[in-house]
Amino acid sequence: MTAQNETDLLARIPTGLLIGGEWIAAEGGKTFDVRDPATGEVIRTIADASPADGIRALDAAVAAQDAWAATAPRKRSDILRGAFELVRDRAEEIALLMTLEMGKPLSEARGELAYGNEFLRWFSEEAVRISGRYGLNPEGTGNMIVSQRPVGPSYFITPWNFPLAMATRKIAPALAAGCTTVIKPAAQTPLTTLYFASILQEAGLPAGVVNVIQTSTSGAVSAPIIADPRLRKLSFTGSTEVGRRLIAQAAEGVLRVSMELGGNAPFLVFADADLDKAVDGAMLAKFRNIGQACTAANRFIVEESIADEFARRVTERVQAMRIGRGTEEGVQIGPLIDEAAVAKAKSLVADAVERGATVRTGGEAIEGAGTFFQPTVVAGVRPGSDILSEEIFGPVLAIATFRDEDEAVRLANDTEFGLVSYVFTTDLARGHRMIDRLETGMMGLNAGVISNAAAPFGGVKQSGVGREGGFEGIHEYLSTKYTLLPVS
Ligand code: NAP
């Protein structure tokens, strides 16, 4: 990719708010800057929505709701399918855009593009399969009709770590179900959502069905939307801390909510595991997205007898990783999203070391432009270390040990989170026991990456409420209606 390509692409990204099918300036002409985390440079200056702009966006979604719900499922499906094809045609430029605003290596941005785009294809197929049932009641006195209706206008708040996939995972099922939407992307990575919204317009999406309100004041803009009685649904992906606050706000209006929250995934390696596969899985589960994924393995819990060998092998692999700006081909580790992320990685490593762990490689921030942190392996992590209870959200692989299966399960479940777990074992019976015993919404059994548009993504405990993707995903945007027809 040349610098000229980057400039040309960025110049084509809309800078306004998308409200009612029009790209408009924010109230008072307010703007904010988007930066490339690899260089710290401003790459685009865009409209900065106010609370009043947010309500205008909700007005547009409400105005479009009835017509969109009445649009034939096949038509809704065709629009989603058209958007899928446009995204596929523009894969290279959307991947580059994600790398520019978020920092991930281009190869991974291409992977996210393929994954994120699948939600458009999957839900274009699901849009025409919304069904209900009809049948005689047990008493034989009436027929029961059970049908599905769109929930109604929905508000989406998405994080910065997967700029395309977090938007398509919400927008696609909502549109398939017949709901209109307002989306607020994270201030650090709004450009992909803006570009994607322009693609939806190109695919023929009617005005007001998707509205975009990027803002530098997410709390102030979101609160009045969530409090508005016309809103029917809130779907959020982000930290558990913010999710908890949003659930409290949504409780006022008894809103339907979907919450995709924090992770802290355990990665268990049993002595009977195929160690080559476990190491490959560990590299993917830990370093994909520079460790900044809710599904990132956070705690490597390895059987004592193989822990040293596991640490030696992952250290060797980590030392060979290429660090740099994500736009350079071959780079595996790009910058972290900001200075705060670097400071967090540093302090978690320092705390682990203070409590007795050893840094096998890395452990330091990288001086110079951008917010880089060395890919790191920390072994011998002791119970009570912060790195075992907090999401690292950085390229730090932390290894603790266990002695037997019961201890492994106890350590893995010792967290308020329950998004995903990874287990490496060649013992089939043990694998099945782990499916039952680990308290997570998802599991990789001898697999380091599990996400798929056809699978229900989501957590238990404080990792969230609801599922995105799979057959389940569309039901987050449908409400069930029961009608009785007496037998005359
Ligand atoms: P975050 O701080 O919770 O932010 C997520 C989104 O919420 C952003 O759009 C942010 O906007 C917005 N936000 C922040 N405070 C808000 C408020 N008071 N009211 C309304 N919106 C508010 O999370 P993050 O640090 O960006 O993302 C990382 C977290 O997301 C991690 O915990 C990760 O595990 C989680 N995550 C979960 C999943 C999943 O599917 N379970 C997927 C990806 C990420 P601004 O940034 O513009 O303020």
Side-chain angles (χ1 to χ4, degrees), residues 157-162 166 169 184-188 215-216 218-219 222 226 236-240 242-243 245-246 249 260-263 293-294 391 393 419 457 463 468:
I157 301 175
T158 52
W160 48 265
N161 57 350
F162 291 97
M166 297 304 100
R169 214 160 77 170
K184 190 212 75 61
Q188 281 159 322
T215 177
S216 64
S218 53
S222 299
I226 298 168
F236 170 75
T237 298
S239 60
T240 296
V242 173
R245 263 185 273 154
L246 294 173
Q249 290 175 29
E260 298 288 351
L261 308 177
C294 53
E391 267 190 299
F393 246 59
L419 189 62
F457 188 104
S463 285
E468 291 186 325

Side-chain angles (χ1 to χ4, degrees), residues 13-16 30-34 42-48 191:
I13 307 306
T15 56
K30 264 190 78 189
T31 60
F32 69 100
D33 294 333
V34 181
V42 174
I43 53 173
R44 199 85 169 121
T45 299
I46 59 174
D48 187 355
L191 302 182

Side-chain angles (χ1 to χ4, degrees), residues 200-241:
L200 287 171
Q201 286 185 303
E202 245 184 274
L205 193 71
V209 176
V210 170
N211 304 276
V212 186
I213 47 158
Q214 66 278 10
T215 177
S216 64
T217 54
S218 53
V221 167
S222 299
I225 298 176
I226 298 168
D228 193 303
R230 296 171 301 168
L231 188 73
R232 291 284 180 270
K233 164 95 195 184
L234 170 65
S235 178
F236 170 75
T237 298
S239 60
T240 296
E241 186 194 343

Side-chain angles (χ1 to χ4, degrees), residues 90-391:
R90 304 205 188 138
E92 273 306 295
E93 56 182 27
I94 301 172
L96 175 60
L97 185 59
M98 284 196 275
T99 293
L100 290 176
E101 65 175 345
M102 187 272 168
K104 68 179 70 191
L106 206 44
S107 57
E108 293 194 15
R110 291 182 184 122
E112 179 184 343
L113 183 120
Y115 167 61
N117 202 18
E118 279 305 321
F119 290 97
L120 298 175
R121 175 152 64 176
W122 176 264
F123 285 108
S124 78
E125 291 157 356
E126 290 299 283
V128 291
R129 313 212 193 295
I130 299 167
S131 61
R133 60 181 198 268
Y134 178 90
L136 195 60
N137 67 9
E139 297 74 20
T141 55
N143 282 304
M144 305 191 298
I145 301 171
V146 180
S147 56
Q148 302 292 334
R149 302 290 308 150
V151 167
S154 302
Y155 182 45
F156 299 154
I157 301 175
T158 52
W160 48 265
N161 57 350
F162 291 97
L164 181 73
M166 297 304 100
T168 55
R169 214 160 77 170
K170 298 186 190 305
I171 289 175
L175 298 192
C179 297
T180 60
T181 69
V182 176
I183 181 165
K184 190 212 75 61
Q188 281 159 322
T189 60
L191 302 182
T192 304
T193 302
L194 290 168
Y195 189 33
F196 173 57
S198 74
I199 287 179
L200 287 171
Q201 286 185 303
E202 245 184 274
L205 193 71
V209 176
V210 170
N211 304 276
V212 186
I213 47 158
Q214 66 278 10
T215 177
S216 64
T217 54
S218 53
V221 167
S222 299
I225 298 176
I226 298 168
D228 193 303
R230 296 171 301 168
L231 188 73
R232 291 284 180 270
K233 164 95 195 184
L234 170 65
S235 178
F236 170 75
T237 298
S239 60
T240 296
E241 186 194 343
V242 173
R244 246 184 237 121
R245 263 185 273 154
L246 294 173
I247 291 172
Q249 290 175 29
E252 285 299 312
V254 196
L255 281 182
R256 286 270 298 266
V257 293
S258 299
M259 293 278 147
E260 298 288 351
L261 308 177
N264 194 11
F267 188 109
L268 302 182
V269 188
F270 287 91
D272 61 33
D274 176 330
L275 210 51
D276 290 335
K277 281 193 185 146
V279 170
D280 287 346
M283 296 303 290
L284 283 171
K286 179 72 248 180
F287 294 103
R288 195 172 63 101
N289 225 36
I290 320 144
Q292 304 168 113
C294 53
T295 51
N298 211 58
R299 299 168 291 149
F300 287 80
I301 306 172
V302 183
E303 194 155 350
E304 220 168 50
S305 59
I306 56 157
D308 260 349
E309 178 60 9
F310 178 79
R312 190 190 66 72
R313 290 208 207 177
V314 289
T315 300
E316 214 175 85
R317 293 278 290 272
V318 168
Q319 283 168 339
M321 292 185 101
R322 212 176 129 201
I323 308 164
R325 191 168 183 236
T327 47
E328 294 158 28
E329 289 289 346
V331 159
Q332 294 154 293
I333 295 286
L336 292 182
I337 191 68
D338 55 22
E339 290 291 351
V342 173
K344 183 171 185 193
K346 209 170 163 173
S347 88
L348 287 175
V349 171
D351 173 78
V353 168
E354 217 165 88
R355 293 171 197 261
T358 317
V359 174
R360 294 290 182 96
T361 186
E364 296 294 337
I366 300 173
E367 298 298 324
T371 41
F372 290 87
F373 193 84
Q374 294 173 333
T376 298
V377 176
V378 192
V381 175
R382 302 281 158 83
S385 302
D386 293 345
I387 210 162
L388 298 178
S389 56
E390 290 181 30
E391 267 190 299

